[in-house]
Amino acid sequence: MHTYDVTVTTSASPETVWKLLVDAASWPLWSKVDSLDTTRSFGLDPGGDDGVGSIRAFRTGRTVTGERLTEKVEQRLLAYEDAFIPSMHHYRARIELSPTASSGTVIHWYGEYETSWLWRWVMPRYLQKFMQGMAEGLARYAEEREPTR
């Protein structure tokens, strides 16, 4: 099993960060994915609050990956697993949000996965960097969307 583990702190509230996480349509706005593939997604909420069991398909370049939401605790935890990811299998990830003393949020995003022997030398370093960029993009975009306090 390979793993990645990233932590980012943002001045945005857990509520603002949460709204972005549960709305698959927002991911291309703040992340490294190019688009949400609605034809390969399943159970998306039209109001942007995807529920457990939803499959969210994201296109990055020519690759489409599908992730099934497995656990959801309002403003605290979003967990998912691979529904279809060509380069990985047995993939499980968790995004935990914790409030800071200054009304911000700590984003802890981590996961574990297996790859084929072809990918085992490249994927761990690549995915660690990719997921760091995902968490940082979420943090920055949430700060831009934070209502004036």
Side-chain angles (χ1 to χ4, degrees), residues 41-102:
S41 296
F42 171 80
L44 299 180
D45 180 68
D49 190 12
D50 300 335
V52 170
S54 298
I55 296 176
R56 299 147 36 122
F58 297 106
R59 178 176 298 284
T60 305
R62 290 184 281 161
T63 303
V64 177
T65 59
E67 301 164 348
R68 180 182 301 104
L69 297 185
T70 58
E71 191 175 356
K72 190 174 161 182
V73 179
E74 192 74 21
Q75 295 184 34
R76 300 201 30 93
L77 169 71
L78 189 67
Y80 58 92
E81 66 186 12
D82 63 293
F84 53 90
I85 300 179
S87 57
M88 294 187 290
H89 40 276
H90 305 294
Y91 176 44
R92 291 183 301 275
R94 297 172 72 80
I95 308 164
E96 297 175 352
L97 306 180
S98 304
T100 66
S102 59

Side-chain angles (χ1 to χ4, degrees), residues 4 10 15-16 26 29-31 34 45 49 51 59 62 68 75 86 96-97 108 129 136 143-144 147 149:
Y4 64 85
T10 178
E15 178 183 8
T16 299
S26 80
L29 301 174
W30 55 262
S31 76
D34 296 330
D45 180 68
D49 190 12
R59 178 176 298 284
R62 290 184 281 161
R68 180 182 301 104
Q75 295 184 34
E96 297 175 352
L97 306 180
H108 184 203
K129 185 176 179 179
E136 289 171 355
E143 287 171 359
E144 295 169 6
R149 296 179 201 196

